[in-house]
Amino acid sequence: ILYCGTNSGVFKTTNLGENWKLIGLQNTQVCAFYVYNNYYFAGTNNGIRISNDGGTSWASNVTGDSVISLYSFSEKLLAGTNHGVKVSTDFGNNWVSIGLNSYRINSFTNMADTLLTSTNIGVFATTNMGNNWINLGPKQQTCGLVIFDNKIYAGGVNCVWRKDANLLTGVS
């Protein structure tokens, strides 16, 4: 099963993309989509929409900002917005800011207990759920973020940025 958020709602395929079915949020721009503990979360320009019935119905949960990325880490749900990282510990009912409020959060990944995020000014890392954030570079907008072969990769402006993930050991 694969889900896709689009400018026209959320679509689902059960046959590797041969056919797609609109399952909700018709005519809504969905910037991010995430399944977490049998809940569906759709990040939109007007916050987060949540479904607990497979996409048949959607409740609004406005985080006060556009939601660009969604991720789960350490049994918490994270939302990347135009104004920082928000976290929920109750399946999206309540959200608390955990920093980077001046930045657009484009994506998340993690390596063990370190959470990483790509932003409009580089990649940041935290080992304490946002109490402290460390700017890893590259001092430009980064998008997609992945860890592979013990290296951190992020798409940058006309480049792919790479950093040795071993440098994260001991970050506090």
Side-chain angles (χ1 to χ4, degrees):
I1 297 174
L2 181 66
Y3 300 92
C4 184
T6 72
N7 286 340
S8 302
V10 176
F11 289 80
K12 175 182 177 180
T13 181
T14 57
N15 57 9
L16 301 174
E18 290 292 321
N19 303 97
W20 292 86
K21 178 183 176 189
L22 178 67
I23 64 165
L25 303 179
Q26 184 172 3
N27 300 320
T28 301
Q29 182 179 10
V30 178
C31 302
F33 186 80
Y34 202 77
V35 178
Y36 179 67
N37 284 359
N38 296 320
Y39 287 80
Y40 293 1
F41 295 89
T44 74
N45 288 336
N46 296 313
I48 294 178
R49 305 290 300 270
I50 303 168
S51 176
N52 63 1
D53 61 6
T56 301
S57 63
W58 294 84
S60 274
N61 189 311
V62 178
T63 62
D65 209 344
S66 294
V67 176
I68 299 126
S69 55
L70 294 163
Y71 193 70
S72 61
F73 177 71
S74 191
E75 298 185 26
K76 296 169 180 65
L77 183 65
L78 301 164
T81 74
N82 276 332
H83 297 99
V85 180
K86 310 265 194 280
V87 65
S88 175
T89 58
D90 59 2
F91 302 105
N93 290 312
N94 296 289
W95 295 90
V96 175
S97 176
I98 62 168
L100 303 178
N101 298 335
S102 299
Y103 309 120
R104 174 187 165 108
I105 309 303
N106 295 317
S107 64
F108 297 99
T109 194
N110 72 287
M111 186 174 122
D113 64 345
T114 302
L115 175 67
L116 295 105
T117 184
S118 64
T119 74
N120 60 312
I121 67 152
V123 175
F124 286 83
T126 183
T127 58
N128 55 20
M129 283 306 289
N131 288 326
N132 300 34
W133 289 94
I134 297 162
N135 188 337
L136 301 176
K139 296 188 180 179
Q140 66 173 269
Q141 178 167 309
T142 55
C143 292
L145 190 60
V146 68
I147 297 176
F148 177 75
D149 199 21
N150 216 30
K151 294 190 178 16
I152 305 163
Y153 294 89
V157 178
N158 298 319
C159 71
V160 174
W161 176 80
R162 181 182 75 193
K163 188 171 191 93
D164 190 347
N166 287 332
L167 298 174
L168 297 177
T169 304
V171 170
S172 62

